[in-house]
Amino acid sequence: MIAKKQKLLGIAMVLPSFLSLIILVVWPVFISIKQSFQNEENQFTWDNYKYVLTDPMMVNNFKYTMLVTLISCVLVLIISYALAAYLRFSNSWFSKVISRLYFIPMFIPGIIAIYGFINMYRDNGWIARFIGSENMPSFVYDIKGLVLMNLWFNIPFTTMLLLSALSAIPGSVIESARDVGAKKLTIFFKFILPLSYNTLLVALTFAFMGIVGSFTAPYLIDKNAPQMLGVSMQQHFSVYHELGQSSSIAVILFLMCAVVGFIYIKNMMKNESHS
Amino acid sequence: MHMQLEIKGLTNIYKTGEGIRNIHLQVKKGELLTLLGPSGCGKTTILRSVGGFVTPQEGQIIIDNEDISKYSPEKRPTAMVFQSYNLWPHMDIYNNLAFSMKLKKMKKEAINERVQWALKLVHLDGMEKKFPSELSGGQQQRIALARALLLDPQVLLLDEPFSALDAKLRHELREQLREIQAIQKLTMIFVTHDQEEALAISDRIAVMNKGKIEQLDAPKEIYNSPKTYFVANFIGKMNFIELQAQDGIVQLGNSSFEVADVGNSKVQTAIRLEDIEITDVDPDVNGIIKKIMMLGHYAEVTIQTEFGLLKTFIEKRKLETLSVEQHVGVCIKAARFYGNNELKSNIKRSSTHVKEFEAAY
């Protein structure tokens, strides 16, 4: 009796989140997928995918999205790793100051950060006033600006992840490596990097997911063509009213994330088997 | 005698004021020297200075007639076994052991052979393919020891290597370490805060306190004649009684002792538990048994006397005649006196002698 009661209680506790998952996530996802295979008369069609995957503008949007995402991810990882390594291995007062400051961007609402960025970096913005607008490289309405903005959004969290991974490497692991004769580069490539590799992968996954589907920053900063997929999807939905096409963009975006997610999970399982 | 390791004037004081001051040490070839002391006494600082992980403010470290103070850890002829987290978790046991030889670009067959040799030495043959997380704590420390031995160190440094293990395993590893040391003729510095461990494995012990070496001696000497109050307190079990000296004479029950240069100051009297005997014949002091604690083949008996609680060891077979609240006589067979942390020499006098002594003045 008691066992049965506990079982029911367990199900009752899971139910709210399970139902909200069904109503708010699974059902809309199902509708979107269905829509992506339908034309305006609600008949089955491949046209939406044909358009999305072959239309020159859309192909450019895909390429552009991948380009922005890859450049941003690589830069975020390099910068965050360097920053985290500095914070972990340096004991200077400067590193202590930085370790208190680096996550501040996380507490600034995205939209405010973007407007601040535009005011600072636009062709007649604050920096241009000081150095002269003729000397100012264009950041706003340009890929450079978008990538910079992605760095702002992603570096703090990525650094936090990597710093915790690097802090988890005991000092004695590095000291014993030095003891057996490993030099600095060897220590980095044979010990620190492999021991933080998993977290690097987690960080990459998070950064990729966040950037590939981003909307606000590319919508406000980037130029009109080519577009990031998030912006393109919004346009197909609310400007062109092409529900099927925007749904198929969403499905493809989801598949891209799923691939990255799959690689991540596969790697996690491989590593789980020996630690 | 050829000195394998010499430490001269080593000083390293931290911002907190802790650290080591002007340490001199010499370790013979094939000797196991233990640095023993409470935490914060500086023993690990000495060890890490020798290993190169701490850069001391002053002093020289000489191994085999060469000053190695300027070298970084990877260039020093030392190897270190750390307290825990010794092994590299992302490498299997084979690679943990082979890594240093791969760095030296040794041939694969030679590496294999050496790895097998090392595994056999620590009785862990056939573990090559396992990962550190699949090994028990004791096995991990043995692999760590094997890895250090594969460096052919001129001095092996051990930083409380067994302290994270349970008592039984600690005893086993202690014996194994001694065995390996005998085979390999290793020179070792062993750091521990466990006095029992130090007494068991060392050739010599340096007892440290507050950044200084209080006494450097063989285990037997350290136990039998602790030179300072700190060492007496730290090593083995002791009864301590604070007594007032009068004109250089300390009265302890019916016995009296003439103690060198104490005058009329207070002295700490230290009596080993085995130097206290329960007796009916001519006791120094009378007391009541308060507690009997069985510790295996012997028992620790606590006796309430006019000097406070005194503890003594009693053999199991003598226990039958004793019980709690029993009145007994206590005979103190040997005592040491410490004034101002230093051992003072003493001569025991009989009671009559003392009276004569008093009468003469």
Side-chain angles (χ1 to χ4, degrees):
Chain A
M1 237 357 238
I2 292 168
K4 205 174 175 186
K5 248 188 187 167
Q6 277 193 341
K7 219 173 172 182
L8 282 174
L9 182 71
I11 291 171
M13 286 171 86
V14 179
L15 214 56
S17 59
F18 182 70
L19 281 180
S20 55
L21 187 74
I22 297 276
I23 295 166
L24 298 173
V25 180
V26 178
W27 184 240
V29 165
F30 174 73
I31 292 176
S32 291
I33 293 173
K34 199 176 122 209
Q35 260 174 0
S36 73
F37 288 105
Q38 282 176 340
N39 60 19
E40 276 155 22
E41 281 80 45
N42 290 340
Q43 289 155 330
F44 176 83
T45 176
W46 288 101
D47 285 354
N48 293 326
Y49 285 95
K50 265 185 211 148
Y51 162 77
V52 165
L53 292 171
T54 58
D55 180 79
M57 182 190 85
M58 281 312 297
V59 171
N60 271 339
N61 286 350
F62 272 109
K63 284 185 186 158
Y64 183 70
T65 304
M66 285 316 291
L67 182 73
V68 170
T69 308
L70 283 181
I71 293 176
S72 302
C73 283
V74 168
L75 288 179
V76 164
L77 286 186
I78 292 174
I79 294 168
S80 298
Y81 202 100
L83 185 57
Y86 173 69
L87 295 178
R88 163 70 174 82
F89 296 110
S90 165
N91 288 319
S92 66
W93 64 268
F94 188 67
S95 95
K96 276 176 196 131
V97 172
I98 296 291
S99 71
R100 304 237 183 286
L101 296 180
Y102 77 89
F103 45 76
I104 284 180
M106 294 206 296
F107 300 105
I108 296 174
I111 196 82
I112 291 172
I114 292 169
Y115 275 114
F117 178 85
I118 291 174
N119 273 327
M120 191 78 180
Y121 289 99
R122 67 170 187 232
D123 293 349
N124 53 356
W126 282 102
I127 292 181
R129 279 183 216 180
F130 283 106
I131 63 170
S133 50
E134 65 279 3
N135 302 323
M136 184 74 191
S138 55
F139 280 106
V140 177
Y141 313 122
D142 189 271
I143 187 172
K144 288 199 287 290
L146 185 54
V147 169
L148 273 183
M149 207 65 233
N150 282 336
L151 295 186
W152 165 275
F153 282 127
N154 286 283
I155 284 175
F157 182 65
T158 311
T159 305
M160 204 180 255
L161 273 179
L162 291 171
L163 183 58
S164 80
L166 292 180
S167 305
I169 300 176
S172 63
V173 163
I174 292 155
E175 284 178 344
S176 54
R178 291 187 72 189
D179 200 37
V180 304
K183 296 202 179 66
K184 286 205 166 95
L185 275 182
T186 320
I187 289 174
F188 180 76
F189 285 109
K190 296 269 177 181
F191 295 91
I192 296 172
L193 199 57
L195 285 171
S196 54
Y197 176 75
N198 272 342
T199 312
L200 207 57
L201 210 65
V202 175
L204 176 67
T205 315
F206 278 121
F208 180 89
M209 304 270 185
I211 294 167
V212 82
S214 62
F215 173 74
T216 322
Y219 184 73
L220 291 172
I221 292 175
D222 213 1
K223 54 185 173 285
N224 285 324
Q227 290 168 325
M228 292 278 288
L229 284 180
V231 179
S232 172
M233 196 166 81
Q234 185 268 345
Q235 288 212 328
H236 281 83
F237 182 80
S238 45
V239 182
Y240 312 147
H241 298 292
E242 292 283 359
L243 286 186
Q245 286 173 3
S246 62
S247 292
S248 59
I249 297 174
V251 170
I252 289 171
L253 204 51
F254 168 74
L255 287 177
M256 282 160 70
C257 289
V259 170
V260 174
F262 176 73
I263 296 171
Y264 162 70
I265 289 169
K266 210 179 131 191
N267 241 290
M268 287 295 129
M269 282 164 79
K270 195 177 83 193
N271 286 309
E272 207 118 287
S273 59
H274 19 117
S275 59
Chain B
M1 185 71 202
H2 175 64
M3 286 302 157
Q4 181 76 357
L5 169 69
E6 273 191 88
I7 296 171
K8 288 182 182 168
L10 197 67
T11 299
N12 190 45
I13 296 155
Y14 297 111
K15 276 181 208 149
T16 53
E18 285 183 344
I20 48 173
R21 285 176 177 80
N22 199 19
I23 296 286
H24 291 270
L25 266 178
Q26 293 186 321
V27 187
K28 295 185 206 88
K29 200 172 172 60
E31 186 180 35
L32 198 164
L33 180 97
T34 297
L35 301 175
L36 174 67
S39 57
C41 72
K43 55 194 191 302
T44 302
T45 306
I46 296 180
L47 193 80
R48 291 171 67 81
S49 301
V50 177
F53 300 109
V54 167
T55 312
Q57 286 143 0
E58 270 172 53
Q60 276 184 308
I61 295 157
I62 298 156
I63 291 182
D64 213 8
N65 296 324
E66 190 188 359
D67 187 349
I68 58 151
S69 314
K70 300 284 167 289
Y71 296 151
S72 54
E74 58 267 30
K75 290 189 185 135
R76 293 194 182 197
T78 56
M80 186 137 163
V81 178
F82 295 82
Q83 193 167 356
S84 56
Y85 304 116
N86 253 303
L87 300 182
W88 303 314
H90 59 300
M91 294 184 188
D92 62 13
I93 298 305
Y94 178 87
N95 281 311
N96 261 285
L97 294 175
F99 186 77
S100 64
M101 294 179 280
K102 282 183 181 167
L103 281 181
K104 286 182 201 147
K105 305 221 160 32
M106 276 170 67
K107 284 215 179 79
K108 216 170 173 196
E109 298 82 56
I111 294 178
N112 271 335
E113 204 175 291
R114 293 274 289 158
V115 168
Q116 292 308 328
W117 167 84
L119 283 171
K120 201 165 253 163
L121 192 68
V122 295
H123 306 301
L124 285 173
D125 333 37
M127 293 282 191
E128 301 92 318
K129 289 279 164 287
K130 295 212 167 168
F131 278 84
S133 56
E134 298 171 278
L135 265 53
S136 69
Q139 288 173 328
Q140 287 187 29
Q141 286 307 70
R142 270 143 75 190
I143 295 291
L145 181 63
R147 188 178 68 191
L149 291 174
L150 282 170
L151 289 171
D152 280 328
Q154 297 199 30
V155 178
L156 181 63
L157 308 169
L158 300 112
D159 185 7
E160 308 211 16
F162 309 142
S163 64
L165 308 172
D166 62 64
K168 191 157 176 272
L169 211 53
R170 217 156 50 214
H171 282 121
E172 273 174 39
L173 285 185
R174 216 185 266 172
E175 265 171 46
Q176 221 174 31
L177 181 70
R178 260 314 212 181
E179 218 172 89
I180 291 168
Q181 195 219 6
I183 302 168
Q184 299 295 312
K185 309 234 177 330
L186 281 169
T187 309
M188 289 200 245
I189 302 187
F190 190 98
V191 160
T192 184
H193 62 261
D194 179 348
Q195 46 102 7
E196 190 199 326
E197 186 165 84
L199 290 170
I201 65 166
S202 317
D203 292 315
R204 280 192 304 159
I205 302 174
V207 184
M208 293 189 62
N209 185 31
K210 292 181 182 158
K212 283 187 302 194
I213 295 175
E214 293 256 338
Q215 187 171 1
L216 176 61
D217 253 324
K220 201 175 129 194
E221 294 301 311
I222 296 261
Y223 186 83
N224 288 340
S225 36
K227 292 237 166 64
T228 66
Y229 174 73
F230 174 81
V231 177
N233 202 353
F234 197 74
I235 304 281
K237 286 192 168 177
M238 266 299 187
N239 292 295
F240 283 104
I241 306 167
E242 195 181 69
L243 292 170
Q244 180 71 47
Q246 273 178 351
D247 297 328
I249 304 289
V250 177
Q251 190 76 29
L252 184 60
N254 295 333
S255 295
S256 66
F257 297 84
E258 192 183 329
V259 182
D261 51 77
V262 289
N264 289 318
S265 62
K266 279 194 170 142
V267 289
Q268 288 290 340
T269 309
I271 310 154
R272 285 263 179 238
L273 272 65
E274 60 268 31
D275 290 335
I276 290 183
E277 229 171 53
I278 292 177
T279 177
D280 301 327
V281 188
D282 198 15
D284 286 304
V285 61
N286 289 308
I288 304 164
I289 295 179
K290 282 292 167 197
K291 200 159 64 181
I292 299 177
M293 196 157 71
M294 274 306 294
L295 296 171
H297 65 280
Y298 64 100
E300 189 185 291
V301 177
T302 309
I303 304 157
Q304 174 82 56
T305 68
E306 60 173 292
F307 302 116
L309 294 172
L310 292 181
K311 288 179 175 173
T312 175
F313 291 138
I314 301 290
E315 276 178 64
K316 198 170 67 180
R317 60 188 166 78
K318 285 187 188 163
L319 262 183
E320 280 154 29
T321 58
L322 300 176
S323 60
V324 176
E325 295 300 327
Q326 186 182 341
H327 288 256
V328 288
V330 172
C331 171
I332 294 163
K333 286 162 68 192
R336 289 171 201 84
F337 300 91
Y338 296 90
N340 204 9
N341 193 32
E342 266 169 53
L343 179 68
K344 307 291 185 193
S345 61
N346 73 79
I347 306 161
K348 188 174 180 178
R349 294 171 176 276
S350 70
S351 347
T352 46
H353 198 128
V354 176
K355 274 171 198 151
E356 281 168 22
F357 187 79
E358 276 170 350
Y361 291 85

